[in-house]
Amino acid sequence: MRFLLTDEQREFGRSLDALLTAADTPAVLRAWAAGDHGPGRALWGRLADAGVFALAVPEAYGGVGPLPVEAAVACVELGRHAVPGPVAETLASGVLLAGAGGPVAEEWLPGIASGAAMVSLTLEGYGPYAPDADAADAVFTVSGDELRLAPDPGEPSASADPARRLFRPEPGGAPVAKGPAIRAAARAAGDWAAFATAALALGCGEELLRATVAYVKQRTQFGVPVGSFQAVKHRLADTLLGLEFARPLLYGAAVELASEVSRPGAGAGSAEGSPGAGAAVAAAKVTAGEAGYAAARTALQLHGAIGYTEELDLAWWLRRARPLRDAWGTPSACRARVLAG
């Protein structure tokens, strides 16, 4: 398959890059980690105005989606700039609630599309934790064929990324939807959450590589830039190859997800997560996650002792790479799904 983004999709990515470059995301990340969600919510609103969260919401509910390719473009940029908040979870909730339909979709989907609602969720098979549940306007949980609204975000758990806090939602809460459609919607939402997380991981790895290349050009040893050393060049080349191999898998998964929506008889929110699409998403997730984590290890080693400091803005990307690798499908789980598919 020869896949190229359209001019409009590229321009969409460039516009998001310009928006986020001007937003000073390291300052937003520091505030978010300290419990001040104001700057992050303001940035969330600007991203919503750019159409990011409408990409997973059907037109019937005020969105423009589901558009997986455009969502991949957006999430790579958000990962490159380390935007805080439950990005993957909110996008996946758009798919989940569209599949559930009824009053819960009518109540929450317009807010998700407009940016007024920030949502986190947990799904069976992906662990009990809801990222950034304390900042979310709602936390949805799925158990069997029941969709529930968690009564409380619960207590925080340890997280390697202080700007991506994990919560175990309190059990209970009245079901807001139930039936066989919930299981199918949850499978599709799980694929979207893994897919968006793969794109975030790829963007995170790209920024880690960019910053590391810039640093080794400036740092000198024995009177020459350390970037001129053969071992450093090889390490950076391996990192670049890992990221570049992940990119076509990510967009291949986007094409598979798009074909699920457009297949005959499928509605805007009815994609059920077929084995083919699920395997494509899993392949993208494991490859992008491992590539992003490898980029973090390269960045840490080549930055030397400075890589461990809190003052270095890049530390926020370093801390984010491993949680993104393991969220919504660990490498072993993704590999098993690829084999099964």
Side-chain angles (χ1 to χ4, degrees):
M1 176 185 296
R2 184 172 183 266
F3 183 88
L4 293 174
L5 296 175
T6 65
D7 291 340
E8 290 80 5
Q9 290 164 342
R10 289 196 179 95
E11 182 57 34
F12 180 47
R14 286 192 290 268
S15 67
L16 290 177
D17 179 50
L19 184 159
L20 293 168
T21 298
D24 188 17
T25 52
V28 176
L29 282 162
R30 286 185 167 87
W32 191 273
D36 178 7
H37 300 133
R41 291 298 297 249
L43 177 58
W44 192 275
R46 293 198 292 274
L47 290 170
D49 290 342
V52 170
F53 303 108
L55 295 172
V57 176
E59 293 183 14
Y61 299 99
V64 296
L67 296 174
V69 176
E70 287 76 6
V73 172
C75 286
V76 168
E77 293 301 329
L78 269 60
R80 183 179 289 122
H81 291 273
V83 171
V87 172
E89 292 73 24
T90 296
L91 290 171
S93 293
V95 174
L96 173 66
L97 298 179
V104 66
E106 295 171 359
E107 178 181 359
W108 288 99
L109 285 178
I112 289 175
S114 69
M118 178 183 289
V119 179
S120 192
L121 83 160
T122 65
L123 298 174
E124 288 182 319
Y126 290 100
Y129 297 112
D132 299 306
D134 60 330
D137 299 297
V139 179
F140 290 100
T141 65
V142 175
S143 178
D145 60 358
E146 290 188 341
L147 171 64
R148 296 175 180 267
L149 185 61
D152 189 86
E155 294 297 319
S157 300
S159 174
D161 181 357
R164 189 177 184 275
R165 303 175 69 196
L166 301 176
F167 291 79
R168 187 189 290 265
E170 292 291 333
V176 293
K178 61 174 61 178
I182 300 302
R183 291 181 182 269
R187 286 194 296 270
D191 284 347
W192 265 75
F195 167 70
T197 303
L200 293 169
L202 178 61
C204 179
E206 288 180 347
E207 174 57 20
L208 285 162
L209 178 60
R210 184 207 63 78
T212 305
V213 170
Y215 180 73
V216 299
K217 288 180 179 179
Q218 298 172 356
R219 181 185 172 192
T220 60
Q221 192 171 9
F222 307 116
V224 297
V226 297
S228 65
F229 299 159
Q230 194 78 348
V232 172
K233 290 180 179 180
H234 285 176
R235 185 70 183 266
L236 292 170
D238 289 342
T239 303
L240 175 61
L241 283 174
L243 294 168
E244 289 302 315
F245 272 113
R247 193 183 316 279
L249 290 175
L250 175 68
Y251 287 111
V255 171
E256 288 285 349
L257 288 174
S259 68
E260 283 294 291
V261 177
S262 62
R263 76 185 191 278
S270 65
E272 299 183 3
S274 74
V281 169
K285 176 63 172 58
V286 66
T287 308
E290 295 280 32
Y293 182 50
R297 296 180 65 178
T298 296
L300 183 61
Q301 181 180 21
L302 297 185
H303 275 82
I306 193 176
Y308 291 93
T309 63
E310 290 281 349
E311 291 77 11
L312 181 71
D313 286 344
L314 198 67
W316 296 98
W317 282 258
L318 289 169
R319 291 178 172 183
R320 179 151 295 196
R322 184 165 183 173
L324 288 176
R325 183 196 70 172
D326 295 337
W328 295 104
T330 62
S332 60
C334 289
R335 290 188 178 97
R337 192 172 186 191
V338 171
L339 290 173

